[in-house]
Amino acid sequence: MDEIKDALTKTSAATKKDRFGRAISMAALALILIVVISIFWFVASKGLATFFTNHVNLGDFLFGSKWAPGQLDAHGKPLAGAASMIVGSFLVTLLSAIIATPFAIGTAVFMTEISPKRGAKILQPVTELLVGIPSVVYGFIGLTIVVPTMRNLFGGSGFGILAGAMVLFVMILPTVTSMTVDTLKAVPRHYRESALALGATRWQMIYKVILRSATPGILTAIVFGMARAFGEALAVQMVVGNAALMPHNLTSPAATLTSVLTQGIGNTVMGSLENNALWSLALILLLMSLVFNLVIRAIGKKGAM
Amino acid sequence: MNAKKSDKLATIILFSIAGFVILILAALLGYILIQGIPHLSWHFLTSPAESFTAGGGIGIQLFNSFYLLVITMIISFPIALGAGIYLNEYANQKSKIIEVIRTMIEILSSLPSVVVGLFGFLLFVVQFKFGFSLLSGAIALTFFNLPLLTRSVEESLRTIPDLQREAGAALGLSRWETVGHIILPAALPSIVTGIVLSAGRVFGEAAALIYTAGQSAPVVNFNDWNPFDSTSPLNVMRPAETLAVHIWKINSEGIMPDAAAVSAGASAVLIIAVLLFNFAARSLSKLLYRRLTSSK
């Protein structure tokens, strides 16, 4: 009797296995969470040290345009004004998104509405492949093609915001295009049929029905591309010129948050003000990627009505 | 302008936009390959890089890239697999906590890779004193890779119909056994595709590696395969510049006379690798699908 009782009341081997599996898979998930939290914790603690340990004024940091964290200004305060890089980052991102958007939407519409066959045969694999091209390759191309072209067209060194935006434009184009294609494909077929049945031309159908109903998805794609452009480091760093000056035109050397970071962090001493100031730039990057994430979420919620 | 005319005009414009984009993309690929392929030779692919003179190769960088990829996958795949299984098989999809976790994974995947690299630098290179090493680089790449891989595992599992889970339960298998013996084998082809595609991305990643795996490629002795020797290629504690980092470095501070040629050749190798990963992903998943489902 006891054996049967045992078998009935004790946890079975299968249950034990299941618990084991649950615990292991949960531990893996927990590990990812720990990683995310610790990234935020470490970057924030380093980035905030500029303000709490070195007593840099947050306003001076965000709006000051003199970037020389090792030196002091007339009032004995460190010259840690990041405005030129912040402006540089936003300019590069916005410009590249503005250039990429019409091309991405046009190509996506072409692939889904005008010529789905050719789209599936030529454009689909090519965009998929281009999404995977490493950013340093884009940087190399920017350096050998875009920068000399800019130099010939506008004079100067050729390095600058415009060169950065051109490189990023090509870089985010495949990403934005393939995401837009996905949204357009998700527009139900009967929308198209009803529009055409009402006597709309193909363009009217595309413009008034398909693009309208796909707007949230397209916006998400654009913001996603912008997030990628904002955080991109090496390709931009190779062509932007890396002069931490307030950009006064689009073809003069400038700097972005990422370009200053990649260049500077190896040349400063851990814990020094210069180093902490760079970590503050990393913190800005981190917060901006959070903002992009929130924007994408907000768009998704609105679109889900 | 009437509707018919604007329809025609729009079609023409859309055609030219698509044509223009195809042109850009084709020119891009063509340029890299045409510039790079003439520099490819057995010597270029196998010999070590030169810092001051022409004629250097990318042998060590190429090896480092692949080796780093392998280590990264060894670290990140089990974690991503576990997390993906939990999210799809065990988690209560309506729970708030799971929603928060999903958000966090999404955030991790959208972090700029330079920030991930700096975090790796701070924690592993400096705090844990791993130094600039393959290990630091692999862990940084793991962070970069985990959200992508987890999502692809989860999505692969989700495409398996619930019927198969019910069948497992009907046979009296525990959930874990069902996952291990039924669901995972069925999802394997798409999981493999996910792995290979993410491998392509990891292979070309540079920003996360500059301050973790380092920017120097000390000469290694390819006859010494003891992973504990300092000159062994298998040693995970040695600094290891990868191909992508090498391209970045010679373009921003290279002083060898043939820097342009080396970076053109190395870029072509990177592109070809990405191409190969793409093809491999497709053919592998087809092959596995046929093997595992005995369908033709």
Side-chain angles (χ1 to χ4, degrees):
Chain A
M1 274 309 273
D2 267 338
E3 262 174 46
I4 297 171
K5 194 182 166 196
D6 271 2
L8 284 175
T9 51
K10 264 192 184 161
T11 22
S12 69
T15 311
K16 272 185 197 153
K17 260 191 203 159
D18 195 44
R19 279 188 191 156
F20 172 75
R22 182 186 268 268
I24 284 218
S25 56
M26 201 150 108
L29 192 62
L31 197 66
I32 298 184
L33 288 194
I34 294 171
V35 167
V36 180
I37 294 168
S38 55
I39 288 180
F40 272 85
W41 173 259
F42 274 94
V43 174
S45 68
K46 275 283 190 180
L48 291 175
T50 318
F51 309 112
F52 291 119
T53 316
N54 307 108
H55 303 290
V56 174
N57 189 321
L58 181 63
D60 290 348
F61 180 77
L62 288 179
F63 304 111
S65 57
K66 269 246 160 68
W67 178 257
Q71 296 166 19
L72 301 177
D73 65 359
H75 308 286
K77 279 194 167 167
L79 286 167
S84 56
M85 281 96 82
I86 297 175
V87 171
S89 276
F90 274 102
L91 269 181
V92 167
T93 306
L94 280 178
L95 263 182
S96 59
I98 289 172
I99 309 173
T101 303
F103 286 107
I105 295 180
T107 315
V109 169
F110 179 81
M111 281 164 76
T112 53
E113 313 297 330
I114 308 268
S115 178
K117 249 193 198 158
R118 241 175 288 185
K121 244 191 198 153
I122 311 173
L123 275 166
Q124 187 94 34
V126 175
T127 39
E128 269 170 28
L129 175 72
L130 286 169
V131 172
I133 289 189
S135 61
V136 282
V137 174
Y138 284 106
F140 166 64
I141 294 202
L143 210 54
T144 50
I145 299 181
V146 178
V147 171
T149 313
M150 294 288 151
R151 193 181 301 145
N152 291 335
L153 284 178
F154 303 105
S157 65
F159 292 96
I161 302 270
L162 196 56
M166 290 309 284
V167 168
L168 283 178
F169 146 63
V170 182
M171 232 182 114
I172 64 174
L173 181 62
T175 316
V176 182
T177 305
S178 67
M179 282 180 75
T180 309
V181 167
D182 290 342
T183 352
L184 291 182
K185 277 192 181 151
V187 174
R189 208 182 131 86
H190 63 258
Y191 279 31
R192 297 183 174 86
E193 284 161 359
S194 11
L196 291 176
L198 286 172
T201 61
R202 183 162 65 177
W203 173 241
Q204 283 171 331
M205 168 195 83
I206 293 171
Y207 183 67
K208 301 214 159 127
V209 179
I210 296 179
L211 287 183
R212 291 290 153 86
S213 65
T215 304
I218 295 173
L219 283 179
T220 310
I222 296 169
V223 177
F224 197 84
M226 284 171 73
R228 218 183 144 192
F230 198 87
E232 174 46 47
L234 303 185
V236 179
Q237 191 249 351
M238 282 152 96
V239 299
V240 81
N242 302 310
L245 306 165
M246 206 48 149
H248 43 88
N249 67 47
L250 292 181
T251 50
S252 65
T256 62
L257 294 166
T258 48
S259 76
V260 171
L261 250 184
T262 31
Q263 277 213 318
I265 208 107
N267 303 325
T268 53
V269 180
M270 260 298 169
S272 65
L273 170 62
E274 291 104 308
N275 191 270
N276 287 344
L278 287 172
W279 282 101
S280 308
L281 300 184
L283 184 59
I284 297 182
L285 274 177
L286 199 65
L287 294 178
M288 273 313 293
S289 86
L290 215 57
V291 169
F292 282 121
N293 221 300
L294 289 176
V295 171
I296 289 175
R297 263 163 189 276
I299 296 171
K301 270 211 183 114
K302 267 223 159 145
M305 288 194 300
Chain B
M1 197 158 47
N2 62 21
K4 276 246 165 85
K5 266 191 189 154
S6 57
D7 180 53
K8 257 209 180 119
L9 188 69
T11 309
I12 294 170
I13 292 175
L14 284 171
F15 252 96
S16 32
I17 288 182
F20 182 68
V21 168
I22 294 178
L23 211 69
I24 296 181
L25 304 185
L28 196 69
L29 281 179
Y31 180 80
I32 301 167
L33 294 176
I34 291 168
Q35 287 281 305
I37 285 180
H39 299 293
L40 299 188
S41 63
W42 185 244
H43 171 79
F44 181 69
L45 290 178
T46 52
S47 59
E50 298 284 349
S51 327
F52 307 110
T53 52
I58 52 168
I60 297 174
Q61 282 81 5
L62 196 58
F63 175 82
N64 286 344
S65 286
F66 278 109
Y67 190 39
L68 193 61
L69 178 64
V70 171
I71 305 178
T72 306
M73 284 301 165
I74 291 175
I75 303 176
S76 55
F77 179 63
I79 304 175
L81 185 67
I85 289 177
Y86 190 85
L87 279 177
N88 196 55
E89 304 293 328
Y90 288 101
N92 171 8
Q93 302 300 342
K94 280 177 195 141
S95 114
K96 281 271 175 227
I97 300 174
I98 293 299
E99 203 176 300
V100 172
I101 291 174
R102 276 183 208 282
T103 315
M104 287 190 119
I105 293 178
E106 219 165 276
I107 290 173
L108 183 60
S109 77
S110 68
L111 290 186
S113 59
V114 59
V115 173
V116 175
L118 287 175
F119 168 72
F121 170 67
L122 191 63
L123 196 60
F124 302 106
V125 177
V126 178
Q127 217 95 315
F128 293 170
K129 299 197 171 59
F130 291 172
F132 291 122
S133 64
L134 274 164
L135 188 61
S136 307
I139 299 175
L141 282 184
T142 295
F143 296 163
F144 178 74
N145 196 19
L146 268 180
L148 304 170
L149 212 48
T150 304
R151 200 179 304 154
S152 92
V153 169
E154 196 196 340
E155 255 151 43
S156 311
L157 293 177
R158 187 172 309 144
T159 54
I160 306 301
D162 274 340
L163 209 60
Q164 304 219 24
R165 295 187 181 87
E166 286 158 18
L171 288 172
L173 297 177
S174 72
R175 209 186 292 196
W176 182 245
E177 285 165 327
T178 313
V179 170
H181 296 297
I182 301 176
I183 309 294
L184 272 186
L188 198 60
S190 58
I191 293 181
V192 169
T193 316
I195 295 176
V196 180
L197 283 179
S198 77
R201 291 198 47 177
V202 166
F203 194 78
E205 176 56 33
L209 288 176
I210 294 176
Y211 294 108
T212 49
Q215 306 172 43
S216 58
V219 174
V220 293
N221 175 6
F222 279 99
N223 294 318
D224 179 1
W225 294 99
N226 177 0
F228 298 104
D229 289 350
S230 59
T231 58
S232 162
L234 291 184
N235 187 341
V236 293
M237 298 314 284
R238 67 188 170 88
E241 182 191 47
T242 64
L243 208 52
V245 175
H246 190 59
I247 296 176
W248 171 75
K249 211 177 85 181
I250 49 185
N251 276 307
S252 42
E253 52 195 38
I255 44 171
M256 58 281 243
D258 60 345
V262 173
S263 47
S267 298
V269 172
L270 264 188
I271 298 290
I272 292 169
V274 171
L275 271 171
L276 286 181
F277 279 121
N278 265 295
F279 284 129
R282 271 174 214 188
S283 43
L284 254 180
S285 84
K286 257 188 213 153
L287 190 87
L288 278 172
Y289 186 76
R290 233 179 276 155
R291 272 279 166 81
L292 293 169
T293 55
S294 68
S295 66
K296 279 191 184 160

